[in-house]
């Protein structure tokens, strides 16, 4: 099947420093995303076109839906379950208390409803202090992998196989785990060239093609399961950071971007940087599971 996509449409001129964490919640008819550096959650209803902005007190890498208005937030040094409507904290857990300069970055749920996320150095130094974690339904945290500089992803083929990225190393790994979360196999799936920018957030469609955002590359590339590039979408934004499928028929791609590290010349060339985009496509995405947890 040949992939077809529309031109990127600007949904929201959010001017994010570091937009990330796109999340489609079907029952709310809403796309959620964050600005890590501004410590904000954006809530954009695709039907009413209304936007709500929620401020948090720490840098925020992602949010995942649990049920109704309950979400789990990945913050600097903390996982926090909140009722976003009431702005009430339900439960909280410290993460990497021994690494105060680390923060949580990208996070996603797997087909079993477990939550996966990575950590990284908040100052973005080239040090291997980042790790990959899984939080199970009993709110127990498991460290699955380590020695990352900038973690991104993951994207799940099934509950045993997934892709995960180290953006600074420009590598997307393919990882296989067992039922106890031990890594059985880890190999390089794709390594970006310098001129392609860095692999950032990613998602899978129903045919298991991998849609990868290029930070400092102004595009999204689509790779088939053999790692061959089969499609590319160019954007009027320099840093493409995160994407997820959603919309009524789950064939719309929502995409975040960032203005971080851009020069004046970059801003003139990529004037919609920091915006939220949408793209219609003939492919359908996998519906992301809500986080299954006993609150």
């Amino acid at each position: 099947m040949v992939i077809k996509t529309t031109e990127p449409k600007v949904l929201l001129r959010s001017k994010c420093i570091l937009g990330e964490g796109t999340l489609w919640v079907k029952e709310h008819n809403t796309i959620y995303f964050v600005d890590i550096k501004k410590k904000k959650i954006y809530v954009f209803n695709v039907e009413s076109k209304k936007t709500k902005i929620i401020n948090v007190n720490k840098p925020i890498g992602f949010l995942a839906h649990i049920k109704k208005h309950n979400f789990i937030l990945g913050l600097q040094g903390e996982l926090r379950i909140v009722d976003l409507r009431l702005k009430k904290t339900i439960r909280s857990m410290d993460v990497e208390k021994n690494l105060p300069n680390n923060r949580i970055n990208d996070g996603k749920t797997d087909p079993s409803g477990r939550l996966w996320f990575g950590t990284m150095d908040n100052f973005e130094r080239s040090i291997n202090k980042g790790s990959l974690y899984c939080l199970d339904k009993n709110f127990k945290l498991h460290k699955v992998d380590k020695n990352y500089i900038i973690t991104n992803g993951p994207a799940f083929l099934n509950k045993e196989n997934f892709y995960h990225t180290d953006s600074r190393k420009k590598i997307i790994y393919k990882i296989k785990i067992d039922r106890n979360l031990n890594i059985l196999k880890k190999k390089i799936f794709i390594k970006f060239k310098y001129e392609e920018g860095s692999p950032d957030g990613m998602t899978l469609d129903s045919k298991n093609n991998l849609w990868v955002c290029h930070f400092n590359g102004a595009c999204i590339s689509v790779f088939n399961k053999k790692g061959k590039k089969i499609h590319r979408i160019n954007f009027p934004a320099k840093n493409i950071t995160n994407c997820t499928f959603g919309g009524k028929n789950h064939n719309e791609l929502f995409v975040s971007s960032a203005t971080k590290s851009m020069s004046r010349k970059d801003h003139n060339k990529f004037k919609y940087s920091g915006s939220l985009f949408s793209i219609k496509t003939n492919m359908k995405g996998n519906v992301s599971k809500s986080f299954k947890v006993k609150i």
Side-chain angles (χ1 to χ4, degrees):
M1 189 182 196
V2 177
I3 295 174
K4 294 175 183 174
T5 51
T6 60
E7 288 288 313
K9 176 187 170 188
V10 177
L11 283 184
L12 190 64
R13 289 288 302 268
S14 40
K15 296 181 181 175
C16 290
I17 297 171
L18 192 49
E20 273 282 3
T22 54
L23 171 72
W24 171 255
V25 179
K26 188 181 177 182
E27 54 262 53
H28 299 172
N29 212 15
T30 293
I31 183 77
Y32 293 80
F33 66 105
V34 305
D35 187 329
I36 296 174
K37 299 297 183 186
K38 288 185 182 175
K39 306 174 191 169
K40 292 180 187 298
I41 300 167
Y42 289 84
V43 184
F44 181 80
N45 185 294
V46 296
E47 206 170 294
S48 69
K49 311 289 188 227
K50 286 187 177 169
T51 308
K52 189 175 162 190
I53 299 170
I54 299 164
N55 294 301
V56 288
N57 65 335
K58 294 179 181 180
I60 175 167
F62 73 88
L63 71 165
H65 188 229
I66 300 171
K67 62 181 180 182
K68 295 179 181 174
H69 295 280
N70 292 347
F71 291 79
I72 184 162
L73 313 182
L75 303 161
Q76 181 164 3
E78 183 191 356
L79 289 166
R80 187 187 299 169
I81 295 177
V82 298
D83 183 317
L84 276 189
R85 190 170 55 175
L86 300 175
K87 295 182 182 173
K88 177 185 164 194
T89 299
I90 297 164
R91 193 169 182 180
S92 174
M93 173 196 283
D94 288 331
V95 176
E96 296 186 337
K97 217 171 179 179
N98 59 322
L99 296 169
N101 291 326
N102 264 17
R103 67 167 172 82
I104 290 173
N105 200 38
D106 208 357
K108 292 275 179 357
T109 51
D110 72 10
S112 303
R114 297 175 298 198
L115 179 71
W116 293 73
F117 65 91
T119 59
M120 59 175 279
D121 180 62
N122 194 33
F123 301 112
E124 297 180 25
R125 295 168 294 182
S126 288
I127 52 177
N128 293 301
K129 288 282 180 78
S131 296
L132 173 65
Y133 292 91
C134 178
L135 184 67
D136 67 26
K137 65 181 180 184
N138 298 312
F139 215 61
K140 186 180 177 188
L141 192 60
H142 308 262
K143 186 191 273 196
V144 179
D145 202 6
K146 59 183 182 179
N147 295 325
Y148 288 86
I149 301 175
I150 297 178
T151 52
N152 266 301
F156 294 91
L157 290 158
N158 50 50
K159 60 184 181 183
E160 289 96 23
N161 296 277
F162 61 93
Y163 298 107
H164 192 239
T165 291
D166 191 319
S167 297
R168 182 62 55 82
K169 294 172 187 173
K170 298 183 183 289
I171 292 171
I172 300 171
Y173 297 100
K174 190 175 182 185
I175 299 173
K176 183 181 176 71
I177 54 167
D178 64 18
R179 59 166 66 183
N180 297 315
L181 304 174
N182 299 305
I183 292 176
L184 301 175
K185 198 174 178 183
K186 179 181 177 181
K187 65 175 186 179
I188 293 174
F189 180 64
I190 295 160
K191 191 170 197 306
F192 273 30
K193 298 186 183 83
Y194 175 80
E195 63 273 15
E196 294 177 301
S198 298
D200 205 318
M202 53 192 175
T203 194
L204 286 155
D205 64 31
S206 58
K207 303 289 183 191
N208 284 336
N209 298 310
L210 187 64
W211 300 58
V212 182
C213 299
H214 291 235
F215 192 95
N216 197 23
C219 70
I220 285 178
S221 292
V222 186
F223 300 91
N224 67 16
K225 49 193 169 192
K226 291 180 179 172
K228 182 187 174 188
K229 191 187 287 188
I230 56 172
H231 191 69
R232 175 183 164 126
I233 309 159
N234 294 316
F235 283 80
K238 187 181 181 185
N239 302 314
I240 307 304
T241 54
N242 202 274
C243 60
T244 193
F245 282 95
K248 199 163 107 178
N249 301 310
H250 225 71
N251 64 345
E252 196 171 347
L253 192 72
F254 296 99
V255 182
S256 61
S257 63
T259 58
K260 187 178 174 293
S261 307
M262 284 176 61
S263 65
R264 186 176 292 177
K265 189 180 170 186
D266 289 335
H267 278 283
N268 290 335
K269 187 179 177 184
F270 300 104
K271 61 181 179 179
Y272 294 107
S273 293
S275 298
L276 175 73
F277 298 90
S278 74
I279 290 159
K280 295 277 174 63
T281 170
N282 61 337
M283 305 301 287
K284 288 198 173 190
N286 292 324
V287 179
S288 59
K289 290 267 185 181
S290 56
F291 176 40
K292 308 289 180 210
V293 67
K294 295 164 185 170
I295 300 175

